[in-house]
Amino acid sequence: MGRCRTAFNAYSVKFSPFYEGRIAVATAQNFGIIGNGKQHVFEIAPNGALHEVAQYDTQDGLYDCAWSEANENILVSASGDGSIKVYDTALPPAANPVRGFKEHKHECCSLAWNPARRDLFLSSSWDDTARLWSLAAPTSLRTFAGHTYCVYHVAWNPREPDVFLTASGDTTVRVWDLRQPAPSLVLPAHGYEVLAADWCKYDDCMLATGSVDKSIKLWDVRMPGRERLVIPAHSYAVRRVLFSPHAPSLLLSCSYDMTVKLWDTASPQAAQGLPVRSWDHHSEFAVGLDASTLREGVVASAGWDESVWVWDQRGFPTP
Amino acid sequence: MSSLRDLVAGSDMCTPSDGAGPSNALGSLVNTLLGGAGKTQEQLRELPGAAGPSGAGPSTSFAPPPSAAELALAGGAGMQVPGLGPPRLNHAAAESFMQSLHAGPPPQFQQLGGPAAAGAAPAEWDAIFHGQDSRPMGPTALLPPQPPPMGLPGAPPPLLAPHFQAFIRSALGPSPSSASGPLPPELAAQLSVADKVRIRDRSTIMARQLYADQGDQFADAQVSHLLSSLRIDPRELPAQLSHAHHADWHEAWRAGATAAAARPHPSVAAELAAAGAAAAAGQIPAQWDAVWEQRHGPAGSLARPASTGWASEFAAQQPQQPQPAAWAAEFAAAAPASAWAEDFAAQEKQAQATAAEQADQSQAERSGGDPRATSAALAEVLGRSDNPKMRNSRFMQFVSKMSRGELTFQDNKVVESTPQAAAWAAEFGGQQQQQRPAGGSWAAEFAQQQAPVGPRQQDWVDEFARGVADLRLDEGLDAGTAEQLEAAWRAGEAATWAQEFNQMPYVVVPQGDEKQYEEWERIYGQGAFEDSFAGPSMGAAGAAAAAAPGEYVFSEHNPFLGNPDAQQKGKELFRQGILSEAALALEAEVRAHPNNAEAWRLLGTVHAENDDDRQAIAAMMRAHSADPSNPEVLLALGVSHTNELSQEQAVSHLRAWLAAQPAYRQLEAAAGQAPDSSQRLSHVIRMFEAASASAPSDPELHVALGVLHHLGRKYDNAVAAFERALQLRPGDYSLWNKLGATLANNARSGQALAAYQKALDLKPNYMRAWTNLGISYANLGDYPRSAAYYVRALGLNAGAEHVWAYLRTSLACAGHMELMGAVEGKDLG
């Protein structure tokens, strides 16, 4: 359905929760190792026509971005310098970023906006913590410490607005509750670093984890001792996992093996590593992934080949 | 596994950053050189000059302190997060910021596109965002003070990008990552310390993700190649991300630096020749070949050949086209390496000859830089490659890197820089030579690192016991408990544990029992069980998990086989709490008498107490098929299925339990079926509530009701039901455990501790309660104590894989890395 070119290596893509076809893309120069970043906003028409809505430059690479669930023009970006930038696409570029939060001591790598309590969002960082923010507050509302290595990913539970998970290089996934001082659950999910995790949108106890051990595992938080399913998913580290917003058992993943795959976790084939679909349109590591909540089946991926693709998961990406 | 240990070894919090903001001297250089990134006004103002070690630019620490304006903006409604406690507002900081506001914006802000824009933006944003007109706000969250962009001195220095590309590429194939040659020193000097730290830390984190299966040592070696090609000496850099730095890492760097320094400053041909030579004989590619084979070879590979696609294709092509060596040699032959002038001329000629091919390739080439001259030999090799991914990605990268390298050196007055670089290289080499004896080669060191693992594993039992003893001292555990714990560990289990652990039990389908098995299958339907056993677990869950769903897995060596009193012995052992032995005795009994429902039931109970619900279910199913109306079996099945989160099975068994009681049969029959499957649980709950209203003194009803509420995640109701049952039956240890688990699931871990403790007072060898205590302590953040409880639980049932996993986590969180290595090693055994 469309492809966007970016100047730098694309790290993350997110569909706007308000506008069909509008995507935010976070990018970083030199694979995010050193250099600048750019936050792009693109609009893709159903016919594939593409125009850039906004572009913001940053001093350091951007690793992730997230749309506000409260205001259709607001988005936040996670920067390699640990800061979080707030952009308002309704304002001229010179007025952006409208805010900056700098509390993380190291690279900020993941952002997640609470879909239910729309004033809250979370960030996670290589400084081993996650932080809770509100645009209405000058500082972070809370810091979630306890992981012993980089926290690569945060994700809100789709049903419980107080509950979220963090995935860390310390090999665990933790489930937190804003009402609790400590994690409600420490899930030793893999034998290796866990780079990604996501909640099932239809079962608030179900989550998926992706690890550098190349596998995806499915867990029920009520039974943390044993995974429900292991998918030998990729031939390199699994970079992102994402449950479909429209089907309880469909799961997307992308990997350093450059592929994006769609899994049916209810199918016995998943355990054998047989995806429903496998796409290899990226020529570099595929690191960003999102699925549109507004149009069923529309997915997007971002890669270090400086490209972002949007397509229908029943077909194949076309430029 | 040492890599895992290393991975989490840096468990202390990160040191704060050095305060130097991101310097983009480098970024803008790369932009300029690549010509790909058109710089906008915003970018220029965003980019400070060199905030390097010379302190040329002011620190660009980003966030302003909590500002008064923002506080005002937040107002009362801003903090509507219940349970978070009072907002963390710093009034002193706010006040000082107010003062600074009155004093007017600092001059730097006015450079940022004018005061009007800076002032207007937040107000406008504020209005939009809050839909109200709040008072004007200063540029609180705008940009930091910016120094003017740094002027680029003289000709642009060479690109950095190829080095990073080589680094990233190196994950995907056996290309020597330092092939582009070290960065000239004058450019390396432009990298600030902060930049170098950033490069080191980020590439380290990334490399560990990419090379997880090779271990940290290997990953760090790759980073060291990158760093040495950029002339970054990690020993000169401050520690930042504590995860990233180990002593061995510096050694790895040293080895890489030595290799890099041994090469002369690169002329392209020499570089190609060096790459070719390295590919043929060098130490790095040799490692690579090994890794490559390991990854993509048929044996022991985590990757599935079917899905690797391009990778396996590439591997298949390798023998036919010994590419790197061949083309490099070819190229070296075509372009004499001796003099730069000749070199240049040869390249020019080749560039003309291949201009047409270049045009084709430039399309395939995906990076922002324009493709430059490359050699006919390269183009030919590429033309032969069938795999578009290889052509576009790894190889094209290599080629474009090379071609850019040429131009870089032409633009960069190579004639001038070469002698300088050579001198530097020599100096550097000399330096390295001196250090070499101390350092040794990476490989040797790695081998040494690996060596101690063996003995360590042998000692791990002792070590573990010592650890437990330490825990006793640390935690002030009840001395008797700890001693008992240690003794149990040493005497009871440790001797036989390793053996036992390695003997994978195999599935025994007793002879003459198939018929019954089939019948059972028919009754309960294989399909119904697929939900609860969704997919076989790999590795960690062991042999039991690999067995077919619902199949009971017998232990292999059973001293009780043939013992006519096995059931009696099993009961006795069960009573004494020696569960593993009890299970063996009961297994012997049911193998002799497959229709002994009572023995199967006892066996299921033993497994349930040992926290193995799959086996418990399998045994109970056999008991059930032998005696379909035994209420105890039905209740146990309901509980075990609840533990396994198999709601449907749990509900149907509990309903069957109700139907099996004469007192409630009427009620059950009258209730009929739930209108649809989604209401099945609530329907059965209503049934039980009606039953317990008619017979409030039946504890079993309360237990079943508690289980059902637990299943429906109505934990408060479940707690109430279990408490009612406990009033009627206070001596039931498993009931206390159920209460504890329900409290814990209701985020009341503190209260759960007391309930578990009560269960253990009643039955000290109750493995499940020990495990649950460990979980609760872990949830409360008391990891050392939780580890102690897990060890206790494992002492009772060392085969509980999930408890090993919990233990690993707790040890990691408690900082007991040395113990964790032992656990990990054992686990893999």
Side-chain angles (χ1 to χ4, degrees):
Chain A
M1 297 184 40
R3 177 180 59 167
C4 318
R5 282 289 186 193
T6 56
F8 301 152
N9 307 110
Y11 253 86
S12 179
V13 55
K14 296 284 177 74
F15 281 101
S16 162
F18 295 95
Y19 299 114
E20 247 180 57
R22 180 166 293 195
I23 54 172
V25 179
T27 68
Q29 203 173 13
N30 293 314
F31 309 103
I33 294 175
I34 193 91
N36 304 134
K38 269 182 204 289
Q39 177 66 56
H40 299 269
V41 178
F42 296 105
E43 185 88 44
I44 300 178
N47 64 5
L50 166 84
H51 78 272
E52 184 158 32
V53 176
Q55 185 192 108
Y56 309 105
D57 293 289
T58 55
Q59 295 172 323
D60 208 329
L62 296 180
Y63 292 161
D64 198 12
C65 56
W67 287 99
S68 164
E69 298 278 349
N71 181 315
E72 69 272 25
N73 295 318
I74 301 283
L75 73 133
V76 288
S77 311
S79 168
D81 64 9
S83 69
I84 297 163
K85 319 272 187 202
V86 185
Y87 296 101
D88 185 341
T89 58
L91 295 181
N96 274 300
V98 292
R99 292 281 292 276
F101 296 109
K102 174 82 170 74
E103 289 184 28
H104 282 301
K105 295 186 178 68
H106 289 288
E107 285 76 357
C108 184
C109 56
S110 175
L111 292 166
W113 208 290
N114 193 317
R117 294 163 95 195
R118 298 177 175 185
D119 57 329
L120 296 180
F121 68 98
L122 283 164
S123 63
S124 83
S125 163
W126 291 6
D127 69 5
D128 304 357
T129 68
R131 284 173 190 268
L132 178 71
W133 308 85
S134 164
L135 289 186
T139 59
S140 64
L141 302 171
R142 215 179 131 184
T143 301
F144 301 89
H147 279 297
T148 54
Y149 197 79
C150 308
V151 184
Y152 291 119
H153 201 77
V154 285
W156 289 102
N157 187 292
R159 296 228 181 133
E160 299 286 338
D162 291 312
V163 176
F164 67 94
L165 62 77
T166 52
S168 165
D170 69 7
T171 75
T172 69
V173 167
R174 291 174 194 232
V175 177
W176 307 78
D177 187 321
L178 297 182
R179 298 159 295 193
Q180 300 287 319
S184 318
L185 173 69
V186 180
L187 179 68
H190 292 262
Y192 292 85
E193 291 193 62
V194 185
L195 302 187
D198 193 32
W199 296 97
C200 176
K201 310 299 187 292
Y202 293 83
D203 179 348
D204 56 353
C205 286
M206 186 75 78
L207 60 92
T209 58
S211 163
V212 301
D213 71 9
K214 308 163 189 173
S215 74
I216 295 170
K217 293 187 183 181
L218 245 62
W219 302 85
D220 189 308
V221 292
R222 296 166 294 171
M223 193 172 67
R226 187 172 66 230
E227 66 276 347
R228 308 282 285 174
L229 175 67
V230 180
I231 305 175
H234 287 277
S235 52
Y236 279 89
V238 180
R239 177 61 194 231
R240 275 269 200 275
V241 291
L242 182 77
F243 271 105
S244 161
H246 298 106
S249 68
L250 289 185
L251 179 73
L252 285 156
S253 65
C254 66
S255 161
Y256 287 140
D257 72 5
M258 306 184 191
T259 64
V260 178
K261 294 184 180 181
L262 175 70
W263 307 91
D264 183 354
T265 59
S267 154
Q269 294 195 313
Q272 299 162 31
L274 298 172
V276 179
R277 292 272 183 174
S278 178
W279 297 284
D280 64 348
H281 49 286
H282 282 292
S283 57
E284 298 290 337
F285 300 158
V287 295
L289 194 60
D290 199 17
S292 170
T293 51
L294 300 176
R295 282 187 65 193
E296 180 168 358
V298 174
V299 295
S301 66
W304 284 2
D305 53 5
E306 294 117 20
S307 72
V308 175
W309 299 71
V310 180
W311 74 101
D312 191 301
Q313 68 188 20
R314 289 164 299 190
F316 294 90
T318 47
Chain B
M1 173 160 293
S2 66
S3 65
L4 183 68
R5 193 170 59 247
D6 289 346
L7 200 77
V8 290
S11 61
D12 52 337
M13 296 305 287
C14 298
T15 52
S17 88
D18 64 358
S23 153
N24 284 278
L26 188 65
S28 50
L29 282 180
V30 175
N31 272 352
T32 311
L33 292 166
L34 282 170
K39 268 181 289 183
T40 62
Q41 171 76 26
E42 297 80 64
Q43 184 177 17
L44 281 174
R45 71 165 163 73
E46 272 264 330
L47 301 179
S54 59
S59 163
T60 55
S61 72
F62 198 82
S67 72
E70 283 167 326
L71 294 189
L73 194 132
M79 298 295 182
Q80 46 190 238
V81 187
L84 284 181
R88 300 167 15 180
L89 303 182
N90 184 336
H91 291 285
E95 234 156 86
S96 75
F97 188 85
M98 274 307 270
Q99 284 165 7
S100 76
L101 276 185
H102 289 306
Q108 286 93 336
F109 282 120
Q110 290 170 0
Q111 293 175 356
L112 308 172
E124 193 180 339
W125 168 76
D126 189 52
I128 290 169
F129 196 72
H130 294 275
Q132 64 188 38
D133 196 23
S134 84
R135 59 181 162 134
M137 190 173 103
T140 54
L142 287 179
L143 296 167
Q146 306 281 335
M150 188 187 73
L152 303 180
L159 307 178
L160 288 165
H163 296 276
F164 295 119
Q165 283 174 354
F167 170 67
I168 298 300
R169 290 274 71 72
S170 68
L172 302 175
S175 82
S177 55
S178 57
S180 61
L183 208 60
E186 70 274 9
L187 178 65
Q190 288 179 19
L191 289 171
S192 71
V193 171
D195 282 335
K196 290 175 176 176
V197 165
R198 210 165 281 130
I199 292 171
R200 176 198 58 186
D201 291 347
R202 291 179 184 176
S203 53
T204 303
I205 298 266
M206 263 173 216
R208 289 186 186 182
Q209 294 179 5
L210 288 169
Y211 306 117
D213 42 0
Q214 268 77 54
D216 289 355
Q217 295 271 1
F218 186 86
D220 292 344
Q222 299 311 309
V223 175
S224 77
H225 293 316
L226 171 70
L227 295 189
S228 60
S229 78
L230 297 175
R231 299 189 190 265
I232 297 172
D233 183 347
R235 291 165 299 178
E236 294 167 355
L237 299 178
Q240 286 254 303
L241 269 178
S242 56
H243 329 300
H245 314 299
H246 303 291
D248 351 312
W249 192 70
H250 295 297
E251 298 301 333
W253 182 85
R254 198 173 295 163
T258 311
R263 275 198 289 279
H265 191 67
S267 75
V268 174
E271 193 51 39
L272 284 174
Q283 155 191 25
I284 303 146
Q287 286 170 19
W288 255 119
D289 288 347
V291 171
W292 190 251
E293 271 167 34
Q294 187 196 327
R295 276 199 177 176
H296 300 284
S301 155
L302 284 169
R304 289 164 301 105
S307 80
T308 51
W310 61 268
S312 50
E313 251 176 78
F314 179 70
Q317 282 173 14
Q318 281 288 77
Q320 299 159 5
Q321 301 175 15
Q323 289 159 340
W327 64 254
E330 234 175 292
F331 192 91
S338 52
W340 173 80
E342 274 177 21
D343 195 359
F344 183 51
Q347 284 159 22
E348 286 289 278
K349 248 160 65 182
Q350 283 159 3
Q352 285 164 10
T354 59
E357 285 166 60
Q358 275 296 298
D360 293 342
Q361 286 177 19
S362 65
Q363 217 169 3
E365 189 161 5
R366 35 134 296 276
S367 95
D370 51 343
R372 314 271 162 102
T374 188
S375 76
L378 288 180
E380 202 190 318
V381 170
L382 286 168
R384 270 185 279 145
S385 173
D386 292 335
N387 188 318
K389 232 161 195 176
M390 285 326 296
R391 207 160 45 205
N392 290 345
S393 177
R394 197 183 73 82
F395 238 89
M396 277 317 268
Q397 285 308 301
F398 202 71
V399 168
S400 71
K401 179 181 66 191
M402 281 302 156
S403 56
R404 276 186 219 145
E406 292 164 27
L407 267 162
T408 297
F409 289 111
Q410 289 163 22
D411 289 349
N412 201 35
K413 302 184 180 69
V414 161
V415 187
E416 284 176 20
S417 68
T418 300
Q420 208 182 347
W424 181 87
E427 196 187 326
F428 192 75
Q431 208 178 9
Q432 295 299 326
Q433 288 288 331
Q434 291 168 0
Q435 288 160 359
R436 219 174 182 168
S441 80
W442 175 84
E445 203 168 307
F446 187 71
Q448 281 167 9
Q449 292 269 329
Q450 295 295 79
V453 174
R456 177 195 280 271
Q457 282 178 352
Q458 284 160 17
D459 292 345
W460 80 278
V461 169
D462 282 343
E463 209 176 311
F464 221 99
R466 276 200 301 279
V468 170
D470 290 346
L471 285 176
R472 175 186 60 195
L473 296 175
D474 292 350
E475 301 308 313
L477 267 183
D478 165 55
T481 312
E483 251 164 53
Q484 187 191 356
L485 199 161
E486 193 178 343
W489 183 256
R490 278 185 185 281
E493 297 293 331
T496 54
W497 182 87
Q499 267 186 324
E500 240 177 74
F501 192 75
N502 287 325
Q503 287 159 1
M504 287 302 194
Y506 63 92
V507 182
V508 179
V509 179
Q511 291 291 316
D513 207 27
E514 278 94 347
K515 209 172 169 187
Q516 191 185 12
Y517 186 79
E518 277 167 21
E519 192 188 341
W520 167 80
E521 236 181 17
R522 189 169 50 75
I523 293 170
Y524 294 99
Q526 194 72 15
F529 283 86
E530 277 176 7
D531 286 344
S532 55
F533 301 102
S537 307
M538 315 268 290
E551 243 175 290
Y552 188 84
V553 182
F554 285 102
S555 301
E556 193 176 349
H557 296 291
N558 191 338
F560 295 96
L561 279 182
N563 188 328
D565 294 332
Q567 181 169 358
Q568 195 51 44
K569 282 226 158 57
K571 272 187 176 170
E572 183 61 23
L573 287 162
F574 181 30
R575 203 183 51 74
Q576 294 167 5
I578 306 167
L579 295 181
S580 310
E581 298 288 302
L584 286 175
L586 290 166
E587 280 183 13
E589 171 61 24
V590 297
R591 284 169 89 163
H593 306 101
N595 289 321
N596 186 338
E598 177 64 6
W600 277 115
R601 188 187 70 79
L602 282 168
L603 187 53
T605 311
V606 168
H607 283 300
E609 291 203 1
N610 245 348
D611 208 357
D612 187 347
D613 280 300
R614 287 194 181 193
Q615 285 280 75
I617 289 172
M620 285 296 181
M621 290 309 297
R622 300 296 294 267
H624 182 59
S625 61
D627 180 3
S629 62
N630 185 328
E632 284 178 273
V633 169
L634 288 167
L635 185 57
L637 275 169
V639 172
S640 279
H641 278 302
T642 301
N643 286 332
E644 289 287 295
L645 305 175
S646 311
Q647 178 169 322
E648 220 161 281
Q649 283 82 24
V651 169
S652 70
H653 282 117
L654 288 171
R655 180 170 185 161
W657 175 84
L658 204 61
Q661 317 266 0
Y664 313 122
R665 189 168 295 151
Q666 200 70 32
L667 196 151
E668 193 269 344
Q673 288 304 314
D676 69 78
S677 64
S678 67
Q679 292 178 49
R680 209 169 284 157
L681 175 62
S682 54
H683 185 70
V684 173
I685 287 179
R686 274 196 297 278
M687 229 181 274
F688 271 86
E689 276 168 349
S692 80
S694 70
S697 60
D698 184 346
E700 303 260 303
L701 275 177
H702 295 300
V703 174
L705 203 47
V707 170
L708 285 166
H709 280 307
H710 191 283
L711 207 52
R713 290 188 246 160
K714 299 268 193 301
Y715 295 118
D716 288 329
N717 293 352
V719 166
F722 286 134
E723 279 171 348
R724 281 197 300 277
L726 277 167
Q727 281 168 8
L728 300 163
R729 206 193 273 171
D732 186 336
Y733 55 85
S734 77
L735 211 40
W736 284 108
N737 181 60
K738 287 186 183 75
L739 176 65
T742 310
L743 287 165
N745 283 333
N746 203 16
R748 288 151 76 181
S749 286
Q751 295 171 50
L753 292 177
Y756 292 138
Q757 200 55 60
K758 190 84 181 158
L760 288 172
D761 289 346
L762 292 163
K763 186 174 172 86
N765 281 338
Y766 193 11
M767 188 266 183
R768 194 155 211 155
W770 285 108
T771 306
N772 285 340
L773 261 177
I775 293 171
S776 277
Y777 275 116
N779 286 342
L780 293 168
D782 189 344
Y783 297 109
R785 196 171 298 197
S786 88
Y789 284 105
Y790 291 143
V791 169
R792 183 69 176 88
L794 287 167
L796 293 166
N797 178 12
E801 286 287 350
H802 59 289
V803 184
W804 281 107
Y806 296 154
L807 178 60
R808 272 197 297 281
T809 307
S810 280
L811 287 174
C813 293
H816 285 269
M817 293 307 136
E818 69 291 349
L819 291 179
M820 199 163 120
V823 174
E824 187 71 21
K826 213 60 213 175
D827 185 47
L828 293 176

